[in-house]
Amino acid sequence: MSERAAPFYCPYCGDEDLRPSEQGHGAWECAACNRAFQLKFLGLLARGVRRTEAGGDAI
């Protein structure tokens, strides 16, 4: 099994200067905006994702 993917940018400021946090698994720190955040996988959707034709809204 492969290692989990790391975020490419901060969800708050968009900067790419991220470091793993000491707070635990999935926690990251942004050096640019001085924020800490945590990523968590919630699971798979049972129904999947529905797509519509011609770029309309999904139902």
Side-chain angles (χ1 to χ4, degrees):
M1 183 171 239
S2 64
E3 189 174 323
R4 292 186 185 260
F8 292 111
Y9 56 88
C10 174
Y12 297 100
C13 71
D15 200 88
E16 297 176 355
D17 191 6
L18 301 177
R19 294 182 175 83
S21 175
E22 296 178 2
Q23 295 299 317
H25 182 72
W28 294 86
E29 297 174 355
C30 177
C33 68
N34 203 32
R35 288 187 170 114
F37 59 94
Q38 187 169 11
L39 301 176
K40 181 178 177 182
F41 177 70
L42 298 177
L44 298 173
L45 298 175
R47 67 180 187 280
V49 178
R50 292 180 69 184
R51 300 193 186 267
T52 61
E53 296 179 26
D57 293 333
I59 299 173

